[in-house]
Amino acid sequence: MRIYNPFMPELPEVEVTRLGIAPHLEGRKVSAVKIIDGRLRWPVPANLSKSLPGQTVHAIERRGKYLLLQMDTGYLLIHLGMTGTLRVLPSSDPLKIHDRVTLEFGKFSLRLHDPRKFGAVLWHPKSKGPIEVFALLQKLGVEPFSPEFAGELGADILYQKSRKRSVAVKQFLLAGQAVVGVGNIYCSESLFEAGIHPAKAAGKLTRPQCSRLAEAVRLILKKAIAAGGSSLKDFVNSDGDPGHFMVQTKVYDRKGLPCKVCKSPISQIVQGQRSTYFCTQCQKR
DNA sequence: AGCTCAACCTGGCTGC
DNA sequence: TGCAGCCAGGTTGAGC
């Protein structure tokens, strides 16, 4: 039995981050912004250092893997990319290598730590309309826990969005055009849970398969959030590492190891430059 | 429109 | 031990 354990910013990790930082920041006023290295996925807007101080964090929401901090005059969007973490720390704590941006709140600071710099910090002013019009959010699929994706509505979305698509279901699901939040790890896990072969053409999914897949996505993400949520009490300091979700995967990173259901060895293939893990016996086309 | 793939950047692990 | 090579959570955007 292997335990897979690094921090993986898929939807559950972003949601746990949101739940961890929101109680400490909502209603508080930004006192200063430090951009230590703004060369992330896109340049961090330099004028945030001047425009954000004095503004209050009214709410922290999430859309897909984006965190949305609702400020007085707009939204601050934060994406963790592949390696980003957000922590609330005493402002007296020294900066660490790879800390990229900090929002100061008097005694506390919110720090974006991102070694690979694939994360993003962006600004959407209210004057440009509601956050929904932000270009990066517009192409996203529905939220997996929204009423729109509940029950058979979720299956309907997967079924309809996948018609006439020749791409493998693994890549279809990962792209987030139908439902958001399923990253590379939980994608393999969801397909295993649903008993669907990852290389099956999305357009060939049957309606019952879509039903099982929608259910699997909700289940896998919910379990991951629950696992992360259990560490929330330790979230606010450098000791309580929210990355230690202790998520046990059934197929991801288990190449050659016995399937937890049928004991046959787990296979690994590459799809769209990413690893996919699956059981050839339990998952059928 | 949909597809495939390179690219962004750094660190950790493997194997020689 | 040192170092080259390979691999890694996400997403965009170019080229077909």
Side-chain angles (χ1 to χ4, degrees), chain A residues 57-76:
Chain A
V57 179
H58 296 288
I60 303 183
E61 299 157 40
R62 180 188 56 72
R63 178 74 178 97
K65 296 169 193 167
Y66 288 90
L67 286 169
L68 313 173
L69 279 65
Q70 189 190 338
M71 311 298 296
D72 295 346
T73 66
Y75 278 90
L76 189 70

Side-chain angles (χ1 to χ4, degrees), chain A residues 59-134:
Chain A
I60 303 183
E61 299 157 40
R62 180 188 56 72
R63 178 74 178 97
K65 296 169 193 167
Y66 288 90
L67 286 169
L68 313 173
L69 279 65
Q70 189 190 338
M71 311 298 296
D72 295 346
T73 66
Y75 278 90
L76 189 70
L77 295 87
I78 300 177
H79 197 293
L80 301 178
M82 275 180 160
T83 54
T85 55
L86 272 179
R87 308 305 303 280
V88 176
L89 298 168
S91 47
S92 56
D93 269 28
L95 289 175
K96 289 187 193 160
I97 187 171
H98 306 318
D99 281 346
R100 306 303 184 189
V101 177
T102 77
L103 265 58
E104 303 296 326
F105 295 86
K107 289 184 291 186
F108 294 99
S109 78
L110 176 71
R111 300 194 184 165
L112 174 63
H113 180 87
D114 186 10
R116 281 177 76 179
K117 301 202 278 190
F118 285 173
V121 176
L122 300 165
W123 177 251
H124 177 76
K126 277 186 177 166
S127 60
K128 288 195 178 172
I131 189 64
E132 289 78 20
V133 307
F134 196 85

Side-chain angles (χ1 to χ4, degrees), chain A residues 128-150:
Chain A
K128 288 195 178 172
I131 189 64
E132 289 78 20
V133 307
F134 196 85
L136 294 171
L137 303 186
Q138 278 203 309
K139 54 190 130 187
L140 299 181
V142 302
E143 287 290 324
F145 298 118
S146 66
E148 301 167 82
F149 197 73

Side-chain angles (χ1 to χ4, degrees), chain A residues 157-172:
Chain A
I157 286 172
L158 292 181
Y159 188 73
Q160 286 158 19
K161 292 266 190 184
S162 62
R163 293 311 85 186
K164 299 187 178 174
R165 297 291 303 275
S166 63
V167 74
V169 59
K170 157 71 191 299
Q171 287 156 274
F172 168 75

Side-chain angles (χ1 to χ4, degrees), chain A residues 7-276:
Chain A
F7 188 83
M8 329 160 263
E10 299 189 26
L11 183 145
E13 291 72 24
V14 178
E15 179 64 8
V16 168
T17 296
R18 187 184 76 80
L19 293 169
I21 66 175
H24 300 277
L25 303 185
E26 284 177 353
R28 297 187 63 105
K29 193 177 283 191
V30 175
S31 53
V33 174
K34 292 180 198 161
I35 301 174
I36 300 133
D37 185 347
R39 296 171 298 172
L40 303 185
R41 185 75 170 80
W42 294 280
V44 176
N47 62 8
L48 288 178
S49 303
K50 289 187 176 173
S51 61
L52 270 191
Q55 295 201 38
T56 296
V57 179
H58 296 288
I60 303 183
E61 299 157 40
R62 180 188 56 72
R63 178 74 178 97
K65 296 169 193 167
Y66 288 90
L67 286 169
L68 313 173
L69 279 65
Q70 189 190 338
M71 311 298 296
D72 295 346
T73 66
Y75 278 90
L76 189 70
L77 295 87
I78 300 177
H79 197 293
L80 301 178
M82 275 180 160
T83 54
T85 55
L86 272 179
R87 308 305 303 280
V88 176
L89 298 168
S91 47
S92 56
D93 269 28
L95 289 175
K96 289 187 193 160
I97 187 171
H98 306 318
D99 281 346
R100 306 303 184 189
V101 177
T102 77
L103 265 58
E104 303 296 326
F105 295 86
K107 289 184 291 186
F108 294 99
S109 78
L110 176 71
R111 300 194 184 165
L112 174 63
H113 180 87
D114 186 10
R116 281 177 76 179
K117 301 202 278 190
F118 285 173
V121 176
L122 300 165
W123 177 251
H124 177 76
K126 277 186 177 166
S127 60
K128 288 195 178 172
I131 189 64
E132 289 78 20
V133 307
F134 196 85
L136 294 171
L137 303 186
Q138 278 203 309
K139 54 190 130 187
L140 299 181
V142 302
E143 287 290 324
F145 298 118
S146 66
E148 301 167 82
F149 197 73
E152 287 307 299
L153 291 178
D156 288 340
I157 286 172
L158 292 181
Y159 188 73
Q160 286 158 19
K161 292 266 190 184
S162 62
R163 293 311 85 186
K164 299 187 178 174
R165 297 291 303 275
S166 63
V167 74
V169 59
K170 157 71 191 299
Q171 287 156 274
F172 168 75
L173 190 58
L174 188 59
Q177 299 155 325
V179 59
V180 294
V182 186
N184 201 43
I185 295 169
Y186 298 136
C187 195
S188 282
E189 295 297 307
S190 298
L191 288 166
F192 175 79
E193 188 70 28
I196 299 169
H197 195 292
K200 175 161 182 158
K204 297 286 176 62
L205 288 171
T206 65
R207 184 60 176 64
Q209 282 181 316
C210 288
S211 189
R212 294 210 305 275
L213 186 53
E215 180 66 32
V217 165
R218 289 187 298 254
L219 178 73
I220 293 291
L221 296 181
K222 191 175 162 186
K223 275 188 176 176
I225 291 171
S230 66
S231 70
L232 276 182
K233 62 183 185 316
D234 299 323
F235 196 87
V236 183
N237 58 57
S238 51
D239 300 330
D241 187 340
H244 291 181
F245 275 34
M246 303 302 281
V247 172
Q248 291 191 21
T249 63
K250 289 189 178 165
V251 289
Y252 186 83
D253 201 27
R254 298 193 68 247
K255 180 182 183 181
L257 295 173
C259 171
K260 293 180 178 179
V261 172
C262 77
K263 311 295 185 209
S264 66
I266 297 300
S267 300
Q268 185 221 337
I269 56 174
V270 173
Q271 296 177 289
Q273 310 165 266
R274 319 301 296 277
S275 281
T276 303

